[in-house]
């Protein structure tokens, strides 16, 4: 356990190279499965791993909420992750993964921790192209052999929290403050976000602001679209700002992460004036420093609609494309 925590502390700053580290863990046996599947979560999301403490069940709590625990004088809700994934632990719920995610702290009960692996984001593929599991955002290939069966399912934590914790659904889109955004007629926002629920929330939020948007599941999809629109704008002899008003991107995404997407835009002479806002559940000073290094115009933590609206308003006013 100490070794895992040491690895988390030492490696948490890995970024800026389209790489990340995935904590692999097991939840038990799935129905009709002959082995325990591997699941994964980005090390960035982890605060710590602790042995299963005593859990206090609050009145009215229902599965998959197990109750709450007190860790470092903080009361944290505990989610039964095997129950969410439809797995049955063979040795019990032995560990808690304590995560800091989207302005909140929660703990996920798991059966066992397996390993930490360092991957390129191009080893991670959207789950939507391979399976229809609601709580899985992507599939990670654990080695470079494309024929390998060494795979891990990366959890869509946003979807899990949205489904289980009522406050995660409390996005007051209708209460967004009235603002006029500096967008040329016909221009759109390019959005890159791999979580289905986050994409929906962003789409609703941007619609409430009157900002038309094109939604993409990965950073690579967004980058390909940006290059295509830039080529079309050049052929028509119009500025790229007539086509793309801004880019709004998550950080963690299959195939290409938000850091790489931002850096690609800002290193391109024809694209560098496009405002880029990073909108991520990964918080902390280290990430904000990385955001500055890749040249993003702003960073905002998920998901408060008026804060996002204010940031978008500021960068659109400050940037001339």
């Amino acid at each position: 356990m100490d070794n895992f925590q040491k690895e988390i502390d030492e490696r948490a700053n890995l970024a800026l190279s389209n790489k990340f580290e995935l904590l692999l863990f097991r939840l038990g046996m799935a129905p009709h499965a002959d082995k325990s599947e591997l699941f994964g979560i980005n090390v960035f999301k982890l605060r710590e791993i602790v042995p299963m403490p005593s859990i206090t069940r609050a009145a009215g709590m229902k599965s998959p909420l197990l109750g709450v625990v007190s860790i470092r004088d903080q009361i944290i809700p505990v989610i039964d992750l095997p129950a969410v994934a439809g797995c049955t632990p063979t040795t019990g719920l032995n560990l808690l993964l304590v995560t800091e995610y989207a302005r909140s702290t929660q703990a996920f009960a798991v059966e066992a921790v397996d390993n930490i692996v360092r991957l390129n984001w191009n080893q991670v593929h959207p789950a939507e192209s391979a399976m229809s599991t609601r709580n899985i955002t992507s599939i990670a290939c654990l080695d470079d052999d494309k024929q390998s069966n060494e795979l891990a399912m990366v959890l869509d934590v946003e979807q899990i929290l949205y489904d289980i914790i009522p406050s995660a659904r409390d996005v007051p889109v209708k209460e967004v403050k009235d603002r006029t955004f500096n967008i040329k007629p016909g221009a759109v926002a390019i959005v890159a976000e791999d979580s289905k629920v986050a994409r929906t929330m962003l789409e609703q939020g941007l619609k409430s602001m009157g900002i038309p948007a094109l939604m993409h599941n990965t950073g690579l999809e967004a980058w390909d679209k940006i290059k295509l629109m830039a080529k079309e704008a050049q052929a028509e002899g119009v500025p790229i700002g007539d086509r793309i008003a801004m880019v709004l991107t998550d950080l963690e995404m299959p195939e290409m992460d938000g850091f790489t997407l931002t850096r690609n835009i800002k290193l391109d002479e024809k694209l560098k004036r496009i405002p880029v806002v990073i909108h991520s559940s990964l918080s902390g000073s280290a990430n904000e420093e990385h955001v500055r290094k890749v040249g993003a115009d702003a960073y905002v933590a998920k998901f408060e609609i008026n804060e996002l609206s204010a940031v978008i308003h500021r960068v659109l006013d400050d940037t001339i494309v």
Side-chain angles (χ1 to χ4, degrees):
M1 186 62 58
D2 290 341
N3 289 337
F4 279 116
Q5 192 60 49
K6 183 179 180 181
E7 289 184 29
I8 291 169
D9 294 338
E10 290 178 348
R11 298 179 178 182
N13 288 327
L14 181 69
L16 305 179
S17 58
N18 206 37
K19 295 180 180 180
F20 75 115
E21 289 187 324
L22 193 68
L23 176 76
L24 303 176
F25 56 89
R26 298 184 186 273
L27 302 177
M29 301 297 293
H32 312 298
D34 58 0
K35 64 177 181 177
S36 178
E37 298 287 353
L38 274 174
F39 292 83
I41 189 171
N42 194 331
V43 169
F44 264 127
K45 288 190 172 80
L46 284 168
R47 192 178 83 182
E48 57 187 319
I49 304 170
V50 298
M52 181 62 69
S54 175
I55 297 177
T56 301
R57 179 174 290 276
M61 273 194 174
K62 298 180 180 179
S63 178
L65 279 173
L66 292 173
V68 297
V69 293
S70 177
I71 298 177
R72 307 187 192 286
D73 297 321
Q74 182 180 13
I75 303 301
I76 301 172
V78 178
I79 297 168
D80 182 346
L81 206 47
V84 172
C87 296
T88 303
T90 56
T91 64
L93 297 174
N94 302 312
L95 299 171
L96 287 184
L97 309 183
V98 182
T99 66
E100 293 180 340
Y101 192 89
R103 305 170 188 256
S104 65
T105 303
Q106 51 282 315
F108 293 99
V110 303
E111 180 175 37
V113 166
D114 195 87
N115 197 5
I116 291 176
V117 293
R118 181 172 295 186
L119 303 174
N120 290 306
W121 275 111
N122 59 21
Q123 291 176 253
V124 184
H125 307 285
E128 293 174 350
S129 64
M131 58 193 301
S132 58
T133 303
R134 179 177 179 83
N135 295 313
I136 303 300
T137 188
S138 51
I139 307 297
C141 299
L142 302 183
D143 56 42
D144 294 328
D145 182 0
K146 294 183 178 180
Q147 304 302 318
S148 173
N149 290 322
E150 288 295 316
L151 305 174
M153 293 177 281
V154 182
L155 291 175
D156 188 344
V157 179
E158 287 171 322
Q159 184 70 61
I160 293 170
L161 295 180
Y162 182 87
D163 289 342
I164 295 172
I165 300 177
S167 61
R169 300 190 291 271
D170 187 20
V171 182
V173 171
K174 293 185 293 185
E175 297 177 12
V176 63
K177 295 178 181 177
D178 291 332
R179 291 187 173 95
T180 301
F181 295 90
N182 183 21
I183 297 178
K184 294 182 180 180
V188 300
I190 300 292
V191 180
E193 170 60 65
D194 67 323
S195 169
K196 295 181 288 294
V197 67
R199 278 200 308 276
T200 299
M201 294 164 75
L202 283 174
E203 193 167 23
Q204 292 173 349
L206 291 170
K207 183 177 180 180
S208 74
M209 301 176 208
I211 299 176
L214 298 179
M215 312 301 292
H216 303 84
N217 296 349
T218 76
L220 183 59
E221 286 182 14
W223 176 235
D224 287 343
K225 184 64 173 180
I226 291 167
K227 290 189 294 181
L228 176 62
M229 294 180 72
K231 184 177 180 180
E232 292 172 346
Q234 183 178 21
E236 295 172 18
V238 300
I240 187 60
D242 286 8
R243 297 290 182 265
I244 302 175
M246 61 169 290
V247 173
L248 181 62
T249 179
D250 189 18
L251 286 181
E252 304 176 273
M253 290 180 291
E255 300 177 328
M256 178 186 290
D257 67 10
F259 288 131
T260 304
L261 173 61
T262 303
R263 186 169 56 245
N264 286 350
I265 294 168
K266 295 302 183 180
L267 290 178
D268 190 303
E269 192 63 31
K270 298 176 183 177
L271 304 175
K272 65 181 183 180
R273 293 186 178 276
I274 298 174
V276 178
V277 175
I278 290 179
H279 183 241
S280 174
S281 59
L282 301 179
S283 58
S285 58
N287 279 311
E288 293 181 21
E289 176 62 24
H290 295 327
V291 166
R292 287 189 289 272
K293 286 181 180 178
V294 297
D297 296 272
Y299 169 90
V300 59
K302 294 177 181 178
F303 187 89
E304 204 289 312
I305 189 64
N306 281 310
E307 183 176 338
L308 178 62
S309 173
V311 168
I312 291 175
H313 185 270
R314 174 175 59 79
V315 300
L316 288 176
D317 277 355
D318 289 348
T319 308
I320 301 175
V321 183

